[in-house]
């Protein structure tokens, strides 16, 4: 099998997924490509010291690289090790994220084709200080210059990239998710929730995800339903986390971070609706998954969310607008049902895994011979 049918995936912590959206995406893409005749390698980060080692998972070659440095510095170091190792042999590289895109100069120097998924506009996030924002901003530019092909997961991100490179270099491919058709009630009840009697919000507890606005809006007065909040809220060390918890009524339930896919799917399927506060980024996996669960969606009003959720969703800009949207949906069962149907129709139109993965395979096939 020739090099044109081989790809190495870097930029993530490994597969199967245990961290974030890119890992979940790689968990779907890698076996899909193997089944289609590709030789796929995924680099996996390990904690500690020692030599790298290899194994196989679902036909995917995994290269495990131990890193003894913790935190963000360790991730940067891991990305460098992956770059050096992947550049030793010819063949296509798929880089998920641009946070260390400057390292891609190694691929350029060795004429190794590199497709970069440019993710969201990380340097606009409020949580980062000046140094981190400068680092992400510089790597955003580096990815645009050094990548042979760029993937945008949302038309808003595509517009951003077009301000830096020619449009022919960019391919817009969104994120995917599973359509949920039937999920058990037991995981929901074990968490103290009643199926159909709660809304969900699933997001990292950061200011740009509007958690304070959402919780405050929901808690204005009794709703007769609960709000299930997923995410790690460290009230001891974070003033923002304390503020979110302080704003919550007794109908808000903080469930912590849940990584068990079975439980998350059940929570989504049996939810009365989904609240989405992300202001920065492109196509957010959590929002796509809510559409696949046919959840009525109330989302922050920006170009990214409007493209994903479409016309059936309701949108807000602030706490007052969020509260008005919640009240509008909860007081109108017919509207709620129409929103459910709209969410599922939008999902089936654009975000199903087979069409998303097929678009990636087509792009990777085209990019395999490109070093321009």
């Amino acid at each position: 099998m020739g090099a044109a049918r081989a790809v190495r995936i870097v930029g993530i912590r490994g597969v199967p997924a245990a961290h974030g959206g890119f890992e979940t995406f790689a968990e779907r893409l890698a076996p899909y490509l193997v089944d289609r005749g590709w030789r796929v390698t995924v680099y996996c980060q390990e904690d500690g010291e020692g030599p790298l080692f290899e194994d196989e998972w679902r036909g995917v070659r995994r290269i495990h690289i131990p890193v003894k440095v913790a935190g963000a510095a360790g991730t940067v170091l891991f990305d460098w090790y992956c770059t050096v190792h992947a550049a030793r042999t010819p063949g296509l590289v798929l880089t998920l994220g641009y946070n260390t895109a400057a390292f891609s100069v190694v691929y350029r120097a060795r004429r190794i084709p590199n497709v970069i998924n440019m993710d969201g506009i990380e340097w606009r996030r409020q949580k980062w200080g000046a140094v981190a924002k400068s680092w992400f901003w510089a790597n955003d530019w580096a990815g645009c210059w050094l990548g042979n092909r760029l993937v945008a997961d949302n038309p808003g991100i595509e517009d951003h990239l077009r301000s830096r490179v020619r449009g022919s270099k960019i391919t817009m491919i969104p994120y995917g998710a599973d359509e949920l058709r039937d999920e058990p009630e037991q995981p929901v009840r074990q968490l103290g929730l009643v199926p159909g009697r709660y809304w969900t919000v699933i997001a990292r507890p950061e200011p740009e995800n509007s958690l304070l606005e959402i919780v405050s809006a929901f808690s204005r007065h009794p709703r007769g339903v609960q709000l299930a909040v997923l995410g790690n809220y460290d009230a001891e060390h974070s003033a923002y986390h304390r503020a979110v918890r302080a704003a919550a009524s007794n109908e808000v339930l903080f469930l912590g971070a849940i990584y068990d896919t079975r439980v998350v799917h059940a929570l989504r399927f049996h939810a009365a609706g989904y609240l989405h506060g992300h202001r920065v980024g492109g196509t957010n996996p959590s929002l796509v998954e809510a559409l696949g669960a046919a959840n009525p969606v109330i989302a922050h009003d920006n170009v990214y969310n409007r493209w994903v959720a479409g016309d059936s969703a309701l949108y807000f800009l602030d706490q007052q607008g969020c509260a008005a949207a919640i009240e509008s949906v909860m007081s109108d069962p017919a509207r709620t049902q129409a929103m459910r149907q709209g969410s599922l129709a939008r999902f089936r139109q654009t975000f199903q895994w087979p069409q998303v993965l097929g678009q990636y395979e087509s792009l990777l096939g085209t990019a395999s011979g490109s070093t321009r």
Side-chain angles (χ1 to χ4, degrees):
M1 189 179 298
R5 299 288 290 178
V7 61
R8 286 152 292 170
I9 299 176
V10 302
I12 60 171
R13 296 190 185 185
V15 291
H19 296 283
F22 269 147
E23 282 77 14
T24 300
F25 166 67
E27 181 179 315
R28 301 302 293 256
L29 178 66
Y32 173 88
L33 292 176
V34 168
D35 291 343
R36 303 278 293 179
W38 289 72
R39 289 188 293 125
V40 182
T41 299
V42 175
Y43 286 85
C44 304
Q45 183 175 350
E46 302 291 338
D47 295 330
E49 299 182 67
L52 65 81
F53 61 95
E54 299 185 19
D55 63 8
E56 186 175 293
W57 171 80
R58 296 182 59 184
V60 177
R61 176 193 181 206
R62 298 192 302 180
I63 298 177
H64 301 264
I65 299 181
V67 179
K68 64 181 180 181
V69 179
T75 300
V76 171
L77 191 60
F78 169 70
D79 286 349
W80 173 246
Y81 291 155
C82 293
T83 302
V84 172
H85 191 277
R88 291 176 181 173
T89 54
L92 178 66
V93 171
L94 172 62
T95 303
L96 299 179
Y98 66 82
N99 292 352
T100 54
F103 297 163
S104 297
V105 70
V106 178
Y107 302 135
R108 272 286 182 176
R110 301 194 180 186
R111 299 184 64 80
I112 293 172
N114 180 22
V115 176
I116 304 178
N117 183 311
M118 293 298 290
D119 198 15
I121 307 175
E122 191 71 19
W123 47 269
R124 288 183 181 171
R125 297 189 187 277
Q126 298 178 37
K127 67 177 182 178
W128 302 120
V131 173
K133 285 185 176 182
S134 297
W135 170 264
F136 290 129
W137 181 86
N139 277 281
D140 189 352
W141 274 103
C144 289
W145 291 337
L146 296 171
N148 300 98
R149 296 286 190 274
L150 307 178
V151 177
D153 68 10
N154 186 288
I157 298 299
E158 183 177 14
D159 290 343
H160 165 68
L161 299 178
R162 282 178 180 271
S163 71
R164 302 187 168 189
V165 296
R166 64 185 186 278
S168 60
K169 194 174 182 177
I170 307 162
T171 303
M172 206 291 290
I173 309 176
Y175 194 80
D178 294 310
E179 181 177 333
L180 303 183
R181 301 173 187 269
D182 186 26
E183 296 294 329
E185 293 184 355
Q186 182 182 13
V188 171
R189 295 190 182 278
Q190 287 178 335
L191 292 169
L193 297 166
V194 177
R197 301 296 300 168
Y198 65 92
W199 283 63
T200 60
V201 53
I202 304 175
R204 291 188 180 92
E206 298 160 357
E208 65 263 22
N209 292 340
S210 309
L211 273 307
L212 182 57
E213 290 85 349
I214 288 172
V215 170
S216 298
F218 191 91
S219 302
R220 279 191 167 192
H221 55 75
R223 302 288 182 185
V225 297
Q226 291 182 289
L227 176 64
V229 180
L230 275 66
N232 281 322
Y233 286 78
D234 184 0
E236 182 179 352
H237 296 102
S238 170
Y240 184 74
H241 295 184
R242 288 195 297 274
V244 174
R245 282 188 170 275
S249 71
N250 59 9
E251 291 182 316
V252 178
L253 185 62
F254 291 91
L255 299 177
I258 299 176
Y259 297 107
D260 186 329
T261 301
R262 180 185 64 91
V263 176
V264 175
H265 280 183
L267 280 168
R268 289 194 183 281
F269 183 77
H270 294 289
Y274 177 68
L275 288 156
H276 185 76
H278 290 66
R279 305 175 197 172
V280 179
T283 295
N284 182 267
S286 189
L287 181 53
V288 173
E289 290 164 7
L291 299 180
N295 288 167
V297 168
I298 297 174
H300 184 270
D301 193 355
N302 58 66
V303 294
Y304 312 113
N305 294 339
R306 278 192 174 271
W307 181 80
V308 175
D311 295 335
S312 65
L314 295 184
Y315 298 93
F316 67 90
L317 287 172
D318 53 23
Q319 178 185 325
Q320 182 175 349
C322 184
I326 291 171
E327 287 150 18
S328 175
V329 175
M330 290 186 179
S331 64
D332 190 344
R335 183 173 203 170
T336 301
Q337 184 59 29
M339 291 174 71
R340 285 191 180 278
Q341 294 172 353
S343 289
L344 191 55
R346 179 68 182 127
F347 171 80
R348 289 174 173 173
Q349 177 186 46
T350 306
F351 302 107
Q352 298 185 85
W353 276 125
Q355 65 194 92
V356 170
L357 300 178
Q359 291 175 69
Y360 265 93
E361 185 189 12
S362 178
L363 173 61
L364 294 175
T366 301
S368 292
S370 173
T371 55
R372 291 181 298 169

